[in-house]
Amino acid sequence: MSDSAPAQNPIDVTVPSAARMYDVLLGGNNNFASDRIAVEQLMVTAPNSRELAVNNRAFLRRVVRTIVGEYNIDQIIDHGSGLPTQDNVHQVAQRLNEHCRVVYVDNDPIVLTQGRALLDENDNVAVIEADMAETDRLLSHPRVQELIDFDRPLAALFVSVLHCVDDQKAAAMVRETVGRLAPGSVVVICQLVSDDPDVRDKVTTLMHEQTHGQWGRVRTEDDVDAYFEGLDVQPPGLGDVSLWRPDTEVLPRQRTHEWTEYGGLALVPAVPASSTT
Ligand SMILES: C[S@@+](CC[C@H](N)C(=O)[O-])C[C@H]1O[C@@H](n2cnc3c(N)ncnc32)[C@H](O)[C@@H]1O
């Protein structure tokens, strides 16, 4: 992408965004010099960031295949969908079920411009601009209401996004979304974690500085476990998602493990899991 944005877009090319930095890590070209410089700085503290991003994207493909192919879900809300890349959620899902409905949600203007051009390719797909933290507003969006039937199970994806928002918003958005889902719905959550406090602090500070506060924090595995409270976590459980039901894809091995994407897949039980014990 050239380093000048179309005049009608409220895009500040001098301020890195999480979406475009992730695009840099995935080898995409929807990013600016500011994003590339920020990624270089990030990789000083977290040199495995490229492999981590590629592995996260592979997890997203595997988990969508599982949701549609094994859990027979045919409607998906992808919170913080990111820039279009190869094998986007609706493409993976519709390969298994051409009727699968997918709503992509993001608040980054470039995601929306590129997404509408590349993702919104059939009637069963919508790309909408919304703050994923505003659950009521998001779920009552006309396109969400048109495509998603909340009386039936659906999948809510929060893949590599909760670290973009603060603790209160992250917890509230998962809780409020889960509260709207029919039993049998699938919730997928993963986010950046580290057991090294130095990595957590340095990356969180860097990302806050770079994105002018448009970020949350690197958390711990325990923090992420808490998001799954009341849900029925499915095998293989919660862990580094690069190891979640791996298949035969040849993926770059992470050279270091200073941080990982940690999480997994859970079902919404008919009775909240905590009250069944
Ligand atoms: C690291 S990318 C993850 C993309 C995709 N989910 C994946 O795993 O490949 C995080 C995405 O979340 C989006 N995002 C961050 N905060 C958001 C918010 N409050 N509402 C909607 N999207 C948000 C960013 O714009 C970015 O596209």
Side-chain angles (χ1 to χ4, degrees):
M1 180 179 285
S2 93
D3 278 9
S4 61
Q8 71 271 25
N9 268 339
I11 296 166
D12 184 347
V13 302
T14 66
V15 178
S17 84
R20 299 187 323 248
M21 286 179 69
Y22 185 62
D23 183 67
V24 174
L25 292 170
L26 290 177
N29 55 11
N30 291 307
N31 51 72
F32 302 114
S34 62
D35 306 304
R36 297 188 284 272
I37 292 166
V39 163
E40 274 171 32
Q41 292 177 14
L42 174 67
M43 288 185 52
V44 172
T45 306
N48 72 357
S49 299
R50 284 187 200 282
E51 292 88 345
L52 179 139
V54 170
N55 277 300
N56 176 69
R57 201 67 207 179
F59 163 70
L60 180 59
R61 288 194 293 271
R62 293 195 302 278
V63 87
V64 170
R65 275 195 337 240
T66 305
I67 289 166
V68 179
E70 295 182 26
Y71 290 86
N72 295 318
I73 297 285
D74 62 0
Q75 36 181 12
I76 300 173
I77 303 178
D78 185 10
H79 297 84
S81 48
L83 281 150
T85 175
Q86 285 182 335
D87 269 348
N88 299 292
V89 166
H90 77 283
Q91 291 159 333
V92 176
Q94 291 180 350
R95 235 174 261 144
L96 291 163
N97 177 353
E98 63 177 317
H99 303 295
C100 194
R101 295 169 166 222
V102 176
V103 176
Y104 292 106
V105 181
D106 210 288
N107 65 352
D108 187 295
I110 289 196
V111 172
L112 298 161
T113 312
Q114 299 288 15
R116 290 212 173 101
L118 296 171
L119 303 177
D120 209 346
E121 61 186 9
N122 59 57
D123 289 346
N124 287 335
V125 181
V127 181
I128 64 172
E129 175 172 17
D131 181 347
M132 62 184 173
E134 295 183 9
T135 307
D136 281 343
R137 196 162 171 198
L138 163 61
L139 300 188
S140 54
H141 188 285
R143 288 294 281 146
V144 176
Q145 289 291 318
E146 248 172 69
L147 286 180
I148 304 291
D149 176 358
F150 286 90
D151 292 331
R152 294 196 300 111
L154 63 99
L157 308 185
F158 297 94
V159 176
S160 191
V161 293
L162 294 183
H163 48 248
C164 296
V165 296
D166 68 31
D167 290 357
Q168 212 184 341
K169 281 186 179 172
M173 111 175 66
V174 172
R175 189 181 58 245
E176 287 167 17
T177 305
V178 168
R180 301 282 293 271
L181 304 183
S185 291
V186 167
V187 180
V188 179
I189 297 170
C190 68
Q191 82 135 76
L192 294 166
V193 304
S194 178
D195 53 17
D196 180 341
D198 200 40
V199 170
R200 288 201 300 273
D201 289 351
K202 278 189 178 152
V203 173
T204 299
T205 302
L206 174 77
M207 288 302 293
H208 270 276
E209 282 169 4
Q210 292 293 332
T211 64
H212 292 194
Q214 298 303 303
W215 221 67
R217 71 180 177 95
V218 180
R219 298 192 170 91
T220 63
E221 294 184 2
D222 285 349
D223 291 330
V224 179
D225 290 346
Y227 297 131
F228 287 89
E229 208 180 304
L231 295 171
D232 184 6
V233 176
Q234 299 293 291
L238 305 180
D240 174 351
V241 299
S242 67
L243 304 174
W244 191 91
R245 299 184 56 169
D247 52 24
T248 54
E249 286 173 88
V250 179
L251 297 169
R253 283 180 50 203
Q254 288 187 198
R255 288 164 295 164
T256 56
H257 288 88
E258 63 278 354
W259 66 348
T260 57
E261 287 277 0
Y262 172 91
L265 179 154
L267 287 180
V268 175
V271 178
S274 55
S275 56
T276 57
T277 52

